[in-house]
């Protein structure tokens, strides 16, 4: 088939999948008012593949079949693949009105991680299976979500030590042709509206955890998979002023696997507990860079919103506000510079022949982004003023009796009449003071791995031996 249209993608989601939201089973995820926001954000992936303006970024020619396929399914076996993908993700975010379509990147990061580990460990069966699966995804232009995070119960205990055996997803049965798995994965982005879910372990394992060392891919409508989604926001909205480019975003789900049967052809790790940590690490190496790439357009437009807010309030030239601008620019441009450095210095991951953005720089970029975001939001809130939370709503603006009052009192500096200023404040409310804004702050900390995981990777990748040997040379110390 190759290169589906957005309409074909939407149609493919009407398959009887078991998705719940606000306690009700969703009949059609493409029509549900909350999930629709995610579906339409995701649909940009397919729109880009057909739009002459973005096609060259989004589409490549498959070396084996000669067919046009999504760039996400490219085998990254040359260094420039890294920056090409970075440009695709940045452009996707721009095209999808500031949000990432998010339905092929995390899944293909898992495919790359699995493929790299299969090569490093020399497991030819898994190498063949994952490349067959990659080709299957490319041929059918599938959308994918990635389920890594288990529900984890008591965080101080490993999988096999938990009070309930299902706190980590595990193999509960096996035959010659298939395995049966049970457990749940939490916070899974977009899984309610992807074709497939890829599952890998979230952590290191011991021999006692062997049943938990499992990785596989499975269609979302497979019997036994139930998703419980938390609503985010809807397109229909009476509070915020409408904008020419709608607000975009995604919905996460708790994905429950209740005795789900997985054909062995789609299994990429089965009880090799020694490889679990390496697999989680390899996925993170690929995925952390995706995470950094899509933040950049978001930081750019949020910085711009703060600048417009200062202009609307007539304070853009005052020293206290310019100090805030300096903070925001430093934060945004440092994130960009680190991301660029990571793309320009790709590395062959573990000698696998698969190229990944420089892991030290991309972890630094993610850590820098995650550690500074709340301060960045604080600066925007400070610049914009209290109207960010007390503003009259779009419904008030539409009321003929109230609008004259709003026109009289809500104007700002030259160029910002009441409508312009309220429109701006309405968007600022969405990005720094709404439920969504709170979600975004938490997302910044936890999504794509919490601070601790970035710090762990930073310690693993930093040239600490180089630092120590330089210090030894200077002092003349003989110790190793
Ligand atoms: C918006 C959003 C989208 C997400 N999308 C996805 C997705 O698509 N796929 C996916 O797989 N995951 C996804 N995640 C999950 C994300 O990767 C996790 O939230 C993250 O790894 C943290 O795990 P947790 O939420 O279980 O928090 P916890 O692991 O409970 O962490 C809470 C705190 O406890 C600390 N902690 C935890 N365990 C230990 C320990 N043993 N020792 C010391 N300290 C510890 C952590 O460092 C952290 O400070 C998403 C999360 C969010 C918020």
């Amino acid at each position: 088939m190759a290169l589906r249209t957005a309409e074909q993608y939407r149609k493919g989601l009407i398959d009887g999948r078991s998705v719940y939201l606000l306690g009700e089973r969703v009949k059609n995820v493409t029509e549900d008012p909350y999930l629709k926001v995610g579906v339409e954000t995701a649909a940009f992936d397919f729109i880009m593949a057909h739009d002459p303006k973005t096609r060259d970024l989004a589409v490549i020619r498959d070396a084996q079949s000669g067919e046009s396929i999504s760039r996400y399914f490219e085998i990254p076996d040359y260094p420039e693949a890294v920056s090409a993908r970075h440009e695709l993700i940045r452009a996707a975010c721009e095209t999808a009105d500031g949000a990432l379509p998010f339905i092929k990147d995390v899944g293909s990061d898992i495919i790359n991680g699995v493929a790299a580990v299969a090569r490093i460990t020399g497991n030819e069966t898994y190498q063949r299976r994952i490349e067959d699966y990659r080709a299957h995804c490319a041929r059918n232009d599938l959308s994918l979500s990635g389920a890594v995070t288990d529900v984890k119960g008591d965080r101080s205990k490993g999988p096999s030590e938990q009070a309930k055996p299902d706190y980590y997803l595990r193999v509960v049965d096996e035959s010659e042709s298939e395995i049966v798995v049970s457990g749940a994965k939490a916070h899974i982005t977009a899984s309610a509206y992807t074709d497939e879910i890829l599952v890998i372990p979230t952590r290191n394992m011991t021999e006692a955890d062997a049943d938990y060392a499992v990785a596989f891919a499975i269609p979302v409508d497979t019997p036994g998979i139930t998703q419980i989604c938390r609503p985010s926001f809807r397109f229909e909205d009476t509070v915020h002023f409408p904008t020419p480019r709608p607000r975009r975003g995604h919905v996460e789900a708790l994905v429950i696997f209740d005795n789900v049967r997985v054909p062995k052809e789609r299994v990429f790790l089965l009880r090799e507990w020694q490889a679990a940590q390496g697999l989680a690490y390899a996925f993170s190496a690929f995925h952390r860079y995706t995470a950094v790439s899509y933040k950049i357009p978001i930081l750019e437009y949020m910085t711009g919103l703060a600048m417009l807010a200062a202009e609307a309030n007539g304070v853009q030239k005052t020293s206290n506000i310019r100090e805030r601008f300096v903070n925001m620019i430093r934060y945004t441009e440092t994130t960009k510079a680190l991301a660029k450095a990571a793309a320009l210095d790709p590395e062959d991951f573990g000698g696998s022949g698969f190229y990944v953005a420089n892991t030290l720089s991309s972890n630094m970029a993610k850590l820098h982004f995650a550690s500074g975001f709340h301060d960045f939001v604080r600066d925007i809130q400070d610049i914009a003023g209290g109207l960010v939370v007390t503003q009259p709503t779009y419904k008030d603006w539409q009321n003929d009796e109230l609008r004259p009052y709003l026109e009289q009192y809500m104007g700002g500096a030259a160029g910002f009449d009441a409508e312009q200023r309220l429109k701006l404040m309405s968007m600022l409310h969405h990005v720094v003071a709404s439920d969504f804004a709170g979600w975004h702050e938490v997302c910044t900390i936890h999504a794509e791995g919490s601070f601790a995981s970035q710090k762990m990777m930073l310690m693993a990748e930093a040239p600490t031996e180089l630092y120590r040997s330089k210090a030894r040379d200077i002092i003349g110390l003989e110790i190793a």
Side-chain angles (χ1 to χ4, degrees):
M1 179 197 280
L3 294 184
R4 289 188 295 168
T5 61
E7 194 43 34
Q8 286 170 321
Y9 157 66
R10 290 186 198 100
K11 280 208 178 113
L13 301 175
I14 308 168
D15 55 6
R17 58 189 55 211
S18 175
V19 172
Y20 286 78
L21 190 134
L22 293 171
E24 305 277 341
R25 180 146 182 189
V26 177
K27 284 202 186 78
N28 177 346
V29 295
T30 68
E31 285 176 359
D32 175 84
Y34 293 100
L35 290 168
K36 193 182 173 141
V37 176
V39 171
E40 293 309 314
T41 303
F44 274 98
D45 182 85
F46 299 95
I47 293 169
M48 285 180 74
H50 294 278
D51 183 341
K53 288 203 291 292
T54 46
R55 190 180 160 90
D56 284 351
L57 271 178
V59 176
I60 57 157
R61 186 157 293 279
D62 183 22
Q64 278 173 359
S65 67
E67 275 191 41
S68 294
I69 60 165
S70 165
R71 183 180 293 281
Y72 287 108
F73 300 124
E74 177 173 41
I75 299 176
D77 56 2
Y78 63 103
E80 294 76 18
V82 172
S83 43
R85 191 178 159 106
H86 171 70
E87 289 310 321
L88 167 59
I89 290 171
R90 278 188 67 166
C93 223
E94 308 271 6
T95 311
D97 305 322
L100 185 62
F102 222 93
I103 44 150
K104 285 184 186 149
D105 39 46
V106 63
S108 54
D109 285 333
I110 290 184
I111 293 176
N112 287 333
V114 167
V117 169
R119 272 208 193 165
I120 293 165
T121 56
N123 189 316
E124 286 178 10
T125 305
Y126 292 154
Q127 282 179 54
R128 181 191 56 73
R129 283 185 193 168
I130 194 67
E131 292 308 337
D132 283 354
Y133 181 68
R134 191 200 300 265
H136 167 73
C137 294
R139 210 167 40 245
N140 296 290
D141 203 22
L142 296 179
S143 56
L144 315 171
S145 45
V148 183
T149 313
D150 291 274
V151 291
K152 296 187 288 199
D154 180 341
R155 271 68 174 152
S156 70
K157 295 193 163 98
S160 56
E161 300 163 331
Q162 297 286 336
K164 293 190 180 170
D166 278 0
Y167 278 159
Y168 285 77
L169 187 136
R170 68 195 168 120
V171 181
V172 290
D173 205 357
E174 181 182 356
S175 68
E176 206 171 308
S177 60
E178 64 183 22
I179 59 169
V180 181
V181 297
S182 278
K185 294 277 185 177
H187 331 288
I188 309 308
T189 305
S191 50
Y193 42 89
T194 57
D195 302 299
E196 302 251 324
I197 307 182
L198 281 116
V199 172
I200 59 167
T202 194
R203 54 167 294 156
N204 61 326
M205 307 258 166
T206 64
E207 194 170 357
D209 302 324
D211 284 342
Y212 297 88
V214 60
F216 58 89
I218 189 92
V220 169
D221 62 345
T222 304
I225 297 180
T226 300
Q227 304 199 43
I228 305 174
C229 301
R230 185 179 166 81
S232 185
F233 59 87
R234 320 162 41 135
F235 287 134
E236 306 80 24
D237 177 359
T238 53
V239 174
H240 293 96
F241 277 62
T243 49
R245 302 180 68 177
R247 288 171 291 128
R248 306 267 174 207
H250 287 287
V251 176
E252 285 79 32
L254 175 67
V255 185
I256 296 152
F257 295 79
D258 184 359
N259 288 295
V260 173
R261 297 154 76 126
V262 186
K264 285 230 170 113
E265 266 310 296
R266 291 286 182 257
V267 174
F268 314 121
L269 182 81
L270 183 59
R271 300 200 178 87
E272 295 91 350
W273 57 272
Q274 301 93 331
Q277 183 172 23
L279 188 44
Y281 190 87
F283 160 66
S284 299
F286 284 96
H287 189 52
R288 204 131 292 158
Y289 192 62
T290 297
V292 175
S293 303
Y294 83 83
K295 308 298 186 197
I296 292 170
I298 297 175
L299 293 186
E300 287 175 334
Y301 88 75
M302 285 178 75
T303 303
L305 282 174
M307 291 183 152
L308 291 181
E311 288 166 31
N313 292 344
V315 292
Q316 72 274 27
K317 291 197 175 131
T318 64
S319 61
N320 59 321
I321 297 296
R322 290 179 78 81
E323 182 70 31
R324 296 287 191 215
F325 287 168
V326 168
N327 291 344
M328 298 174 73
I329 293 167
R330 190 179 56 196
Y331 170 66
T332 299
E333 294 301 322
T334 304
T335 308
K336 279 166 73 175
L338 286 167
K340 197 168 174 186
L344 292 178
D345 187 18
E347 54 191 69
D348 174 354
F349 183 78
S352 62
F354 294 120
Y355 283 86
V356 64
N358 184 282
T359 41
L360 179 59
S361 302
S362 43
N363 269 284
M364 300 255 295
K366 174 64 172 57
L367 188 59
H368 171 78
F369 169 76
S371 347
F373 189 73
H374 290 64
D375 287 348
F376 177 72
V377 168
R378 182 206 56 205
D379 283 343
I380 301 175
Q381 290 169 341
D382 182 37
I383 291 170
L387 206 53
V388 161
V389 287
T390 63
Q391 62 199 249
T393 65
Y394 183 55
K395 265 276 189 231
D396 302 313
W397 181 257
Q398 287 173 303
N399 180 313
D400 291 341
E401 273 176 53
L402 300 180
R403 190 188 297 194
Y405 286 130
L406 300 182
E407 282 172 338
Q408 188 169 348
Y409 296 116
M410 287 290 114
F416 288 90
D417 61 18
E419 184 174 13
Q420 303 289 353
R421 185 155 175 262
L422 283 174
K423 250 189 192 170
L424 174 61
M425 289 296 163
S426 173
M427 181 52 88
L428 279 159
H429 175 263
H430 178 63
V431 298
V432 298
S434 63
D435 278 2
F436 167 76
W439 172 92
H440 199 186
E441 285 191 332
V442 175
C443 174
T444 300
I445 295 177
H446 285 296
E448 296 108 13
S450 59
F451 290 126
S453 57
Q454 286 134 49
K455 287 177 185 167
M456 243 160 55
M457 283 186 87
L458 200 126
M459 285 305 292
E461 299 295 336
T464 49
E465 194 37 52
L466 175 100
Y467 306 151
R468 292 175 75 244
S469 84
K470 291 206 161 170
R472 276 200 310 270
D473 281 358
I474 279 180
I475 308 167
L477 283 183
E478 295 293 323
I479 54 164

